[in-house]
Amino acid sequence: MASLAQQFAGLRCPPISISRLTERAATFSKPKRAANFVVTAKAVAISNAQTKEREKLKQLFEEAYERCRTAPMEGVSFTLEDFHSSLDAYDFNSEIGTRVKGTIFMTDNNGALVDITAKSSAYLPVQEASIHRIKRPEEAGIFPGMREEFVIIGENEADDSLILSLRSIQYELVWERCRQLQAEDVTVKGKVVGGNKGGLVAVVEGLRGFVPFSQISSKSTAEELLDKELPLKFVDVDEEQSRLILSNRKAMADSQAQLGIGSVVTGTVQSLKPYGAFIDIGGINGLLHVSQISHDRVSDIATVLQPGDTLKVMILSHDRERGRVSLSTKKLEPTPGDMIRNPKLVFEKAEEMAQTFRQRIAQAEAMARADMLRFQPESGLTLSSDGILGPLNSDLPAEGLDLSDAPPADESDGISEKESD
């Protein structure tokens, strides 16, 4: 151990030389100076390239300026006249009342922006988007991309944009349709939306028409008829005066004229009662009594009919003064009980069964008149070879017999009918 210590003690480190450190520092500093030189050289090269590019662009601009000054139309495929004619093609009259074509390109809750190829876009307010009351343009089917014809109704002074309307054009179309319906004497449905001391206000085809109380067939008050639909006919259609006069009495009279005893009409079940069903037949409510539904006994009407069902019924009687119409489907059954087991067959065979029924009634009426001749020979009436009295028509008049107790078409059904009643 002592010898090892002596060996370490004998080791000596030479002193650090200041000159050697200086040389090393100089060695490390030399590459850095070279790198700085390379960066500076590159910057000078880039600066020279940019200068050349600027000189080139400057030369191009100077050549373009000289060409525009000396020969402005050189290389242009169209003339100045062509340019002006192109502008005229997109020019339009912006006066109020002018119709223009446009494309919707943006909508919001207040309206829509429309491109009409003008210097600025036009605006369609939501209240001018439809003749109906809407809260958003989408409710009137207005979406971006829709192209339509508009009418100019004003100008926004803030940005010189035009204000457009679809409502005005729709009103013109509606008035034209009302004039056509009046000429064709068509019955329309109108919803009662209000009233005053002179009559009712009803909406027809989007227009508010007036129905005087003298032209209402029922004795109901305005409050009772509010929000209900009435059959109406046009009395006066005057677009210039914005006047639309309607009549419920005229519509009801025409409908009732078609309700001949024994005729078949199509109706819709409105409501059910324990004693029968009320059927809407062209704006008139008729009663289908439970005993007139089928030859078979009906204990629960709901098992046979439901509100909203469409069916064909025969007119049995019509009290015009009291406004009551009695109906029957029992008379239209090909076989007893078909309204319960096969109502579709009754619907299909309704006209055929009604015709047979009317012929039997006509023959029965002729025989009754023939019996009367035996006691009144002075009447001058005679029977034909077929046993028909005079020129009797198979179609009965509007006022006729009450057919509620008439026998069925099939002779064998007479017994079953009495038993079922």
Side-chain angles (χ1 to χ4, degrees):
M1 180 69 69
S3 62
L4 181 62
Q6 292 175 358
Q7 294 177 6
F8 276 106
L11 293 175
R12 294 289 185 268
C13 293
I16 298 176
S17 174
I18 298 300
S19 61
R20 291 175 61 185
L21 291 175
T22 305
E23 291 176 357
R24 288 185 180 181
T27 303
F28 284 107
S29 63
K30 288 179 181 179
K32 184 175 181 180
R33 291 176 181 174
N36 291 337
F37 176 77
V38 172
V39 171
T40 303
K42 288 183 178 179
V44 172
I46 293 174
S47 177
N48 292 336
Q50 291 177 346
T51 301
K52 291 180 180 180
E53 185 67 22
R54 290 193 186 98
E55 290 293 335
K56 185 178 180 181
L57 290 174
K58 180 180 179 182
Q59 183 179 358
L60 290 175
F61 281 123
E62 289 177 351
E63 293 176 356
Y65 172 76
E66 185 64 22
R67 187 168 57 252
C68 291
R69 189 178 64 83
T70 58
M73 300 304 296
E74 182 181 353
V76 179
S77 60
F78 58 90
T79 64
L80 187 61
E81 289 74 13
D82 296 334
F83 177 72
H84 286 302
S85 62
S86 298
L87 290 179
D88 294 337
Y90 287 94
D91 190 20
F92 60 89
N93 187 1
S94 60
E95 294 182 358
I96 294 178
T98 303
R99 294 195 179 192
V100 294
K101 290 279 188 178
T103 303
I104 304 290
F105 67 89
M106 191 177 74
T107 62
D108 56 25
N109 290 337
N110 297 320
L113 288 174
V114 187
D115 178 15
I116 56 174
T117 65
K119 61 182 179 180
S120 61
S121 60
Y123 190 67
L124 174 69
V126 66
Q127 61 269 21
E128 293 294 333
S130 174
I131 60 176
H132 304 287
R133 292 183 179 272
I134 59 174
K135 295 182 179 180
R136 297 182 302 275
E138 291 79 6
E139 297 178 16
I142 297 176
F143 296 94
M146 185 190 81
R147 184 166 179 80
E148 191 58 77
E149 185 179 43
F150 304 86
V151 62
I152 300 174
I153 62 172
E155 184 176 357
N156 189 349
E157 296 181 356
D159 56 4
D160 292 333
S161 63
L162 298 176
I163 301 176
L164 306 179
S165 173
L166 281 173
R167 184 166 170 260
S168 301
I169 297 178
Q170 292 174 359
Y171 267 126
E172 293 180 10
L173 296 175
V174 168
W175 277 107
E176 179 60 30
R177 174 167 173 76
C178 289
R179 284 190 292 268
Q180 181 180 358
L181 293 174
Q182 181 188 27
E184 297 175 358
D185 198 29
V186 176
T187 298
V188 297
K189 290 283 188 177
K191 184 178 181 179
V192 178
V193 296
N196 53 38
K197 62 180 181 180
L200 303 176
V201 177
V203 176
V204 176
E205 299 291 333
L207 296 177
R208 295 168 66 90
F210 183 66
V211 189
F213 281 124
S214 62
Q215 294 299 316
I216 298 176
S217 60
S218 67
K219 297 182 179 179
S220 303
T221 63
E223 291 76 13
E224 294 173 340
L225 295 175
L226 190 63
D227 293 330
K228 292 186 177 180
E229 286 192 343
L230 298 177
L232 302 167
K233 283 203 171 188
F234 295 94
V235 176
D236 186 19
V237 180
D238 191 339
E239 182 179 1
E240 293 183 0
Q241 299 295 328
S242 189
R243 184 173 60 220
L244 187 66
I245 308 299
L246 307 165
S247 173
N248 169 248
R249 183 181 296 276
K250 184 179 179 182
M252 295 296 290
D254 290 349
S255 299
Q256 293 176 2
Q258 302 174 5
L259 299 181
I261 305 301
S263 61
V264 176
V265 294
T266 301
T268 304
V269 178
Q270 295 296 308
S271 61
L272 302 180
K273 302 294 181 182
Y275 51 84
F278 284 97
I279 314 296
D280 178 14
I281 49 175
I284 301 175
N285 278 333
L287 174 62
L288 176 61
H289 195 269
V290 63
S291 63
Q292 289 297 326
I293 295 177
S294 176
H295 286 89
D296 288 358
R297 182 177 180 82
V298 177
S299 57
D300 185 4
I301 300 177
T303 60
V304 183
L305 301 173
Q306 286 294 323
D309 288 351
T310 300
L311 68 162
K312 290 182 179 180
V313 293
M314 175 184 284
I315 307 296
L316 292 183
S317 63
H318 184 197
D319 187 342
R320 296 180 185 277
E321 293 182 359
R322 304 175 66 181
R324 295 181 178 179
V325 180
S326 298
L327 309 172
S328 174
T329 53
K330 179 170 72 174
K331 308 301 182 185
L332 303 178
E333 289 183 322
T335 56
D338 279 342
M339 270 300 295
I340 300 174
R341 295 184 293 272
N342 193 2
K344 184 177 179 180
L345 180 63
V346 178
F347 191 92
E348 294 174 351
K349 298 285 186 179
E351 283 77 8
E352 180 181 338
M353 297 303 299
Q355 180 64 24
T356 303
F357 182 81
R358 287 194 295 266
Q359 290 176 353
R360 291 177 57 82
I361 293 301
Q363 292 177 1
E365 188 179 44
M367 295 304 296
R369 293 183 181 181
D371 289 339
M372 292 177 59
L373 287 179
R374 300 175 183 176
F375 303 97
Q376 298 178 350
E378 66 280 1
S379 63
L381 297 177
T382 59
L383 292 174
S384 65
S385 58
D386 296 329
I388 304 298
L389 180 64
L392 186 62
N393 195 324
S394 61
D395 294 326
L396 297 179
E399 293 81 12
L401 300 175
D402 186 344
L403 307 181
S404 57
D405 295 326
D410 194 338
E411 290 284 353
S412 61
D413 293 338
I415 299 177
S416 63
E417 181 185 4
K418 293 180 181 179
E419 292 178 349
S420 63
D421 294 341

